Structures are given as structure tokens and as C-alpha cells.
Amino acid sequence: QVQLVESGGGLVQAGGSLRLSCAASGGTFSSYTMGWFRQAPGKERELVAGITRGGIIRNYADSVKGRFTISRDNAKNTVYLQMNSLKPEDTAVYYCAARDSGSPNYNYWGQGTQVTVSS
């Protein structure tokens, strides 16, 4: 079973950048599809970006396309989310998640990291 720990959140002004990291342990990292989700107060959790096991296929929510980039380093058991041109509406708790091969759902989750974008 994989454990996930996020880092890199914080407070940033609108237009700024942050890079989130998610370190995995306890599993075979390269066997998992990885994703970043976020949840803002009063809103449902949403998938922000996903990346396949080999890093070839990446998908993004329409709201972050062109601004966010997901990447992974299987040698370091880490997935990243580079966030540029941040907007106040990007404020949320960001979660890293992993999905087993063949599973329709993400089944492992980190504890989350807060991102706050001030206007």
C-alpha cells in the first residue's frame, strides 16, 4: 500500500507560481496512475490533473489548462504540480492521489496541502 505526502503549498499573490510535490513510499510508484485534486470550501473535490504510469499521457481540468503542469519522476517516487499564473479561484486544499492499475477510482490519498492565492 502506498503512502503519499504532499508539500509545497502556501500563500502566493495572484499571478505568482507554486510547485507542489508528492512523495510516495511503500509501493511500486511506477505502477500507479497519479493525480492532483483540489477542494475549495463549500465545493466538491475536483480532479486538477492526472498522469499515467510512464508519464506519457497527461490530462487537465479546463480551468487550469495552459497554467498548470503535472510531471513525475519515477526514480524519485515523486509527482509534481507546477502552478503558474495563479488566480484567487485556485485557492483550495490540494491532494495527491494514486490509482492502481485496473482500478476505476483513485484509491490512495495524501493528507493535502493548502494553497491560498491572494488578489
Side-chain angles (χ1 to χ4, degrees):
Q1 183 170 343
V2 65
Q3 290 82 47
L4 304 171
V5 178
E6 303 97 335
S7 61
L11 173 64
V12 64
Q13 288 188 332
S17 298
L18 283 175
R19 188 175 84 152
L20 305 183
S21 299
C22 173
S25 62
T28 304
F29 181 71
S30 60
S31 70
Y32 298 104
T33 292
M34 299 299 297
W36 285 98
F37 289 73
R38 68 185 181 188
Q39 187 167 22
K43 295 188 177 181
E44 293 188 354
R45 187 167 54 192
E46 63 172 343
L47 177 64
V48 174
I51 187 168
T52 51
R53 290 173 289 172
I56 302 301
I57 299 174
R58 312 178 193 195
N59 61 284
Y60 299 92
D62 288 343
S63 58
V64 306
K65 282 180 181 176
R67 300 188 299 121
F68 291 11
T69 302
I70 188 171
S71 61
R72 67 189 296 163
D73 186 337
N74 286 345
K76 294 183 178 180
N77 293 347
T78 303
V79 62
Y80 306 96
L81 186 68
Q82 178 67 44
M83 305 185 294
N84 299 328
S85 302
L86 282 161
K87 304 175 181 180
E89 51 264 43
D90 294 319
T91 296
V93 178
Y94 283 71
Y95 297 91
C96 172
R99 179 161 62 88
D100 285 322
S101 173
S103 172
N105 301 309
Y106 285 86
N107 38 6
Y108 303 105
W109 295 85
Q111 83 289 349
T113 186
Q114 176 71 46
V115 172
T116 303
V117 184
S118 63
S119 57

